[in-house]
Every structure is written in structure tokens, then in C-alpha cells.
Amino acid sequence: MNKKIAIIGLGYVGLPLARLFATKYSVIGFDINEKRILDLNDGNDVTKEINRDALLSVLQPDTTHLLGLYCSSNIEDIKDCNYYIITVPTPIDKYNKPDLTPLYKASELVGKVLKQGAIVIYESTVYPGATEEECVPVLERISGLKFNKDFFVGYSPERINPGDKHHTVEKILKVTSGSTPAIGIEVDDLYKTVIVAGTHLAPTIKVAEAAKVIENSQRDINIAFVNELAKIFDLLDINTSDVLKAAQTKWNFLPFKPGLVGGHCIGVDPFYLAQKAQEKGYNPEIILSGRRINDSMGDYVANKVIKLMIQKEIPIKNSSLLMLGITFKENCPDVRNTKIIDIIASLESYGVRITVYDPWANSEDVMREYNILSLNKLPKQKFDGIILGVAHEEFMEIDFDSLKKPNSVLYDVKGVLTVTVDGSL
């Protein structure tokens, strides 16, 4: 039987995967965002993960193709697929609790078209057990089919790094798993055909889920450690960067740097593991402690800037400050869970007037998500303070003297500027 694959969710994870599978199979890319579908069928990816030529090279005009990608928001177009790969976001709510709503809705969607013998593969990050305990019941209820008899599931966690043009999806080793040993092998064989870095078949879905959630939890904890070091060394009047450079001369020292931890993975995934642990009666102290430290860094940066302005006798209330960058990381348009927002909110509580400039961010996305105006062109006025919050390449070429008032503050959160700065992490 020919493989026909539906990718559900065409964001930072789904689109690169859909394009990759489309080089070997018939793929239908599905997304509920109709504008996103129109853009993609015109060869335009606003996430900038796939360039126009690469996208156009696989696009097909309809669903009858044997090879390539057709993008659609019509559920009828995925009814003949025998593989469904779900790549929707798994965010947290305002209480830091896992929000599985997108996953439930995607499962309901697939359940409506699920046929006997089909395999549903989840790539969204979840806590161990979520696929079989939360998603499978939805598939059974909507489809009327029996799990592991009429249909099967797999789990292969995404490892996409937004904005990274070197570690692309096919170059990152893929963890795979299935709801039965035979299905595990089938899922693994499917990914092997496109992932040149190879695959690792986990013994169970729960193992694969757990592996994914600890990957980012580990990074979160390590970054929290160096963030705490940055706070300590600041009190001791020691340059954190100099300390880390010295420590890195040891072969097994891990080269983490202090900074803001946002985005859809590192700043979110630890809460998924913590939630499951708490359900079982265990309070994960290290994981949640790391989260508290990293979530405090926005306020920490804002307070450092305010202190520097006071030392220079710059009036705080109604002062003007330029925030360079609002995406969660450099050279990437993704604004999800950006911690720049924490700096802005803290500064505004002091009465500081903030101007945001980010050539990568979509202004409409920023306004919709945060109710903040983000400029795509560098303003020409001069400011009392400037914070480099994101290390976009464009910011390295800025003439800061043209933006600074004679008495002003320049704070480099990322520690990347070669010009003289007043402070950095």
C-alpha cells in the first residue's frame, strides 16, 4: 500500500517535516489557519524556516499527486491518508499548567477521518503517558475504532531548533516509538527514509515522551545554574563571561551562558514533567527551582538597567528606552513565550516609555500576542537607554552613538556587542 501522509499543523515543526516527507511521499499539509495555507501555496513561509525555492520544489496543485506536498485547510483533503502526523503546539496556561487543547482538537480532527489500519504519530511535546492516556481516547471516541486493533499510534518527538539553518530536521537524529513492537518498527522505518542522521527506536511511547521532555528540562536547569552564577558574580563584582571562559578550559565543563529562557520548548517543557510528577505525589524541586530562576531574569535585567540609570542621574519616569529585539531568540521571527516581555513589563512599571524594534518579528503577531507595537525599521530618535535583548545579526551593525543621548545607558543582555556597554549578564 502506498503511503499517504497528512501533517497536522504547519508551523515551525510541521512545515519542515512536511517538505521533507514530500521529497519521498504524497503529503497533505493541513492547518486551520487559512491565511497560512494561502501563503504556503504561494511559496511563502512567514516563519522563514523553508526558503521559497525549497517550498516551491515540492508543492503540488491538488491531492492527486503521488509525490510532493499539497497544503489545505479542508478536512476532506486528508480523509484518504494512512499516516497522520500531529505537530501542533503544546503550551502552558497562565498558571504554568499544561494546555493540551490544541492536541485534543487535532486528535478530534484526525478521529473524524481515521480509517482502519491507519497510524497516528504525535510529535508534540507532552508529559510521559499523554499520548496513550489523553490522545488515544479522543481518537477512539470520535472514530469509533479500537486502539491497537483498528488503528495504531506512534510518538516521535520533534527536535526542531527554530532559526537554525545547520541543524535542520533531516540532520537531527530522531527518536521513534510505537504502540506495539511491530508498529514501533514501522514508524521507525518511515522516518529512516528521510532522516539522514538516523533514528533511535525507543521501547515504548512513554520512554520516547520522557526522553523529549527531559532534553529541554536539562538545558533549562543548566541555564538556570549559570543565571544564578551571574547574579552571584555581579554581587562580587566579577565578570561572569570571564569566569565562564576560564572554566571552559576544562574538557568536560558544559558551555552554557546566562540569559533569558523563552520559546516554545525550554521555558515550557519542564512544567509538563513537573505536572506529571506532582500528580504522582512527588514535588520536583530542582526542575521547578530552575524554572523560578529563569523566570526571574526579566525583572533582574530591568532592575539592573534602572539602577544604572539612577547612577547616571537619568530621571526614570517618562524616560525613553529602545528595546532591540522581541523574538525569543536571535535570527528567528518566533515570538512565542518571549521573555523580552518580562523586561518591558517591569520597566513600564517604573514609568519608562519603551520603543521596540525588531526586524525579524511580525508586527501583527506581536500586537495580537502582547498588545505591543513592534517596529520593523530602526527609529531615528535618541534614547535615555538601549537594551540589546536579542542578538539578531542586524543589531551588530547598529551605530549606537546615533541612538544614545549624551547621558544614557546601553545594556547588552546577550554579551555580544563589541562597543562599550554599561552592563550585561
Side-chain angles (χ1 to χ4, degrees), residues 22 33 65 74 81 87 112 146-147 159-160 171 221 233 242 256 268 273-274 302 314 360 363 376 380 405 407 416 419:
N33 186 336
H65 60 280
N74 185 353
C81 294
T87 61
K112 293 176 182 178
K146 185 68 175 177
F147 174 51
R159 283 175 164 172
I160 293 291
K171 297 177 183 176
I221 291 167
F233 293 145
D242 290 342
F256 287 91
V268 172
L273 184 56
I314 300 172
W360 280 84
S363 298
N376 292 126
K380 296 182 179 181
K405 290 182 179 179
N407 186 30
V416 295
V419 300

Side-chain angles (χ1 to χ4, degrees), residues 109-139:
L109 176 87
V110 170
K112 293 176 182 178
V113 294
L114 196 60
K115 290 182 175 59
Q116 195 153 2
I119 298 176
V120 184
I121 304 169
Y122 289 86
E123 290 215 358
S124 306
T125 302
V126 292
Y127 53 77
T131 299
E132 291 158 297
E133 296 166 10
E134 301 291 338
C135 300
V136 166
V138 176
L139 294 172

Side-chain angles (χ1 to χ4, degrees), residues 292-365:
R292 285 192 293 271
I293 291 172
N294 287 338
D295 279 345
S296 74
M297 295 307 292
D299 279 341
Y300 178 77
V301 168
N303 290 332
K304 289 288 294 180
V305 172
I306 292 296
K307 184 177 180 179
L308 288 167
M309 293 174 72
I310 291 172
Q311 290 172 346
K312 290 193 172 188
E313 299 183 345
I314 300 172
I316 304 301
K317 189 172 183 179
N318 293 323
S319 60
S320 59
L321 186 139
L322 176 63
M323 175 61 69
L324 294 174
I326 198 168
T327 61
F328 92 89
K329 66 180 292 187
E330 66 276 3
N331 307 320
C332 172
D334 196 347
V335 298
R336 290 176 295 175
N337 196 34
T338 174
K339 294 305 176 182
I340 298 296
I341 295 301
D342 294 349
I343 302 177
I344 293 173
S346 186
L347 289 171
E348 287 182 336
S349 72
Y350 287 99
V352 179
R353 293 182 289 108
I354 310 291
T355 299
V356 177
Y357 164 60
D358 194 319
W360 280 84
N362 182 299
S363 298
E364 293 180 2
D365 290 344

